[in-house]
Amino acid sequence: MALSEEWLCGDVDLDGRIDIQDAVVTDASVQDGIWAGGTDLTMQYVPYTLGDVDNDGFIDSTDVFELLLYVAKKSSGQKNATFTGDASSMAETVAANAADIDRSGDMDSTDLYYLLYYIALNGAGVSTNWEEILAN
């Protein structure tokens, strides 16, 4: 498809329609993100950074605090623990995915360990990434 032709926003593979293949192509090219929306026309890709629980663009002690508070609430038996106060919001979904460092589907002390380890190494000047952290 030439750039001068009409195109659909979200038609990543340029086949003239927005469908699951666009999601597959985008998912393969972007590391972290969430597909949100209920229909093909309203779906959007919401990127996030693994470890950036508060979504402020930095992986730092604020993210540790947010994850620690969440884990403490869950550990004390609070069944409706959230990061944002609104379990159904996109911000909550982004925070939960960013906090699930090991991709286990559960935010727990293991994720907190990985987050602290990542921050400690980077704070000490040891450049690292999540793949290296999770491999140890």
Side-chain angles (χ1 to χ4, degrees):
M1 173 180 293
L3 292 177
S4 61
E5 295 179 29
E6 285 189 33
W7 57 275
L8 291 170
C9 183
D11 183 17
V12 178
D13 62 1
L14 301 176
D15 66 356
R17 58 183 194 267
I18 300 171
D19 56 18
I20 193 64
Q21 280 305 113
D22 298 303
V24 171
V25 170
T26 301
D27 191 44
S29 63
V30 179
Q31 183 176 358
D32 295 313
I34 303 164
W35 279 100
T39 67
D40 287 347
L41 297 178
T42 62
M43 283 186 70
Q44 63 178 339
Y45 192 74
V46 181
Y48 64 90
T49 301
L50 191 62
D52 186 11
V53 180
D54 63 359
N55 200 28
D56 67 351
F58 302 98
I59 300 173
D60 56 20
S61 60
T62 306
D63 301 302
V64 173
F65 171 79
E66 293 293 337
L67 182 53
L68 183 58
L69 183 60
Y70 178 87
V71 170
K73 287 177 183 178
K74 290 294 264 186
S75 297
S76 68
Q78 186 175 336
K79 296 190 186 307
N80 298 324
T82 63
F83 291 100
T84 65
D86 181 3
S88 64
S89 72
M90 178 54 60
E92 181 68 24
T93 303
V94 167
N97 279 277
D100 189 12
I101 307 294
D102 62 2
R103 305 287 196 224
S104 68
D106 190 28
M107 288 68 65
D108 55 21
S109 60
T110 302
D111 298 302
L112 191 56
Y113 165 77
Y114 287 131
L115 183 57
L116 285 165
Y117 188 47
Y118 178 90
I119 292 170
L121 286 176
N122 282 280
V126 179
S127 181
T128 190
N129 60 48
W130 287 116
E131 290 77 26
E132 292 171 353
I133 295 290
L134 293 170
N136 292 328

